[in-house]
Amino acid sequence: MINASTFSTSTLKKIALTGYFGLLFFMPLWLLILNPSNGLSPTLSLVFFTLPLIFPLKGLLQGNPYTYAWSNFVVMLYFLHSLTTLWVSSQDTVWALIELSFATLMFIGGTYYAKFKGQELGLSIREKKVK
């Protein structure tokens, strides 16, 4: 279990951004250059695997903990894609493991950054009890 004294929020942000930018640059590289798909056009590959990563870019760069939290829903697409590829395509094992590594970095870094930065800022997802 990671606690607030294990990693600083700036370190967690760097971990999450490493995973994020890793996915943002690796996915088009893999799907368009390293091993292009015969069944998926390059345009469709970019739309499916790069466009979802563009949506949280501004909030991630600004360090918004809410963006780090909801961007984990986006990163689930890459977990699913990498795990499915590992299961069905033995020739893409290395590429899928790289994708899974970046997705894991983004997910873990983003989860704990959102938690600890939110605590630092006094943010809460729970409603305050009225007395």
Side-chain angles (χ1 to χ4, degrees), residues 115-131:
K115 176 182 179 180
F116 297 135
K117 187 65 173 182
Q119 288 173 350
E120 287 176 8
L121 297 173
L123 303 175
S124 176
I125 59 173
R126 294 184 206 117
E127 290 185 27
K128 296 186 180 198
K129 295 181 181 178
V130 179
K131 292 183 181 184

Side-chain angles (χ1 to χ4, degrees), residues 50-93:
T50 307
L51 186 63
L53 288 168
I54 300 300
F55 293 119
L57 177 61
K58 181 182 176 193
L60 292 175
L61 292 176
Q62 291 175 341
N64 185 338
Y66 287 117
T67 305
Y68 279 82
W70 70 256
S71 68
N72 281 335
F73 292 110
V74 173
V75 84
M76 286 298 118
L77 297 170
Y78 301 91
F79 273 118
L80 288 171
H81 180 258
S82 62
L83 293 173
T84 302
T85 302
L86 284 170
W87 185 262
V88 300
S89 179
S90 60
Q91 71 265 19
D92 289 332
T93 299

